[in-house]
Amino acid sequence: VQLQASGGGLVQAGGSLRLSCTGSRRVFSTYVMGWFRQALGKEREFVSAISGSGGVYYVNYVDSVKGRFTISSDNTKNTVYLQMNSLKPEDTAVYYCAADVDGGLPHGVGEKYDYWGQGTQVTVSS
């Protein structure tokens, strides 16, 4: 499975961006899809994850983005989105999407994800 992340960029604090992650295989409905980020000099951090299909989805967020970020999935397009609103300078990082082929509930355990995208840079200026 190849994952392609896109949508990053430079935005002012309070602005919005939407990240996309498109996969090479039509199996998103069985995977857990996650977003992680890594700021310069810091460890990788879980951001959000989603699993499910047929209109029934489960989502998970790190506390720092709850109420600001929304994860969604379009399984017909093999694409997962991360809508990021009210961005803050501390959201600046390289954002990665990842796939856990074992499925189940969405989680933030990076070691359980099998495939990773190449990352997209998000920079929020103050």
Side-chain angles (χ1 to χ4, degrees), residues 23-118:
S24 59
R25 234 182 250 181
R26 298 196 65 164
V27 290
F28 273 30
S29 61
T30 65
Y31 289 1
V32 175
M33 297 300 299
W35 286 99
F36 292 76
R37 64 187 180 187
Q38 187 167 19
L40 192 63
K42 295 187 177 181
E43 293 188 353
R44 183 180 64 199
E45 175 189 34
F46 167 72
V47 178
S48 182
I50 187 170
S51 62
S53 64
V56 180
Y57 293 92
Y58 303 92
V59 296
N60 194 359
Y61 299 96
V62 67
D63 286 346
S64 60
V65 308
K66 285 180 180 178
R68 301 189 298 122
F69 291 10
T70 302
I71 191 170
S72 61
S73 178
D74 186 341
N75 292 339
T76 65
K77 297 181 179 179
N78 298 343
T79 301
V80 173
Y81 304 98
L82 186 67
Q83 178 67 43
M84 305 186 297
N85 299 328
S86 302
L87 282 162
K88 304 175 180 180
E90 50 263 44
D91 294 318
T92 295
V94 177
Y95 284 70
Y96 299 90
C97 62
D100 174 2
V101 304
D102 289 335
L105 292 176
H107 62 85
V109 182
E111 291 74 17
K112 293 186 67 177
Y113 285 83
D114 305 285
Y115 299 99
W116 294 79
Q118 85 287 0

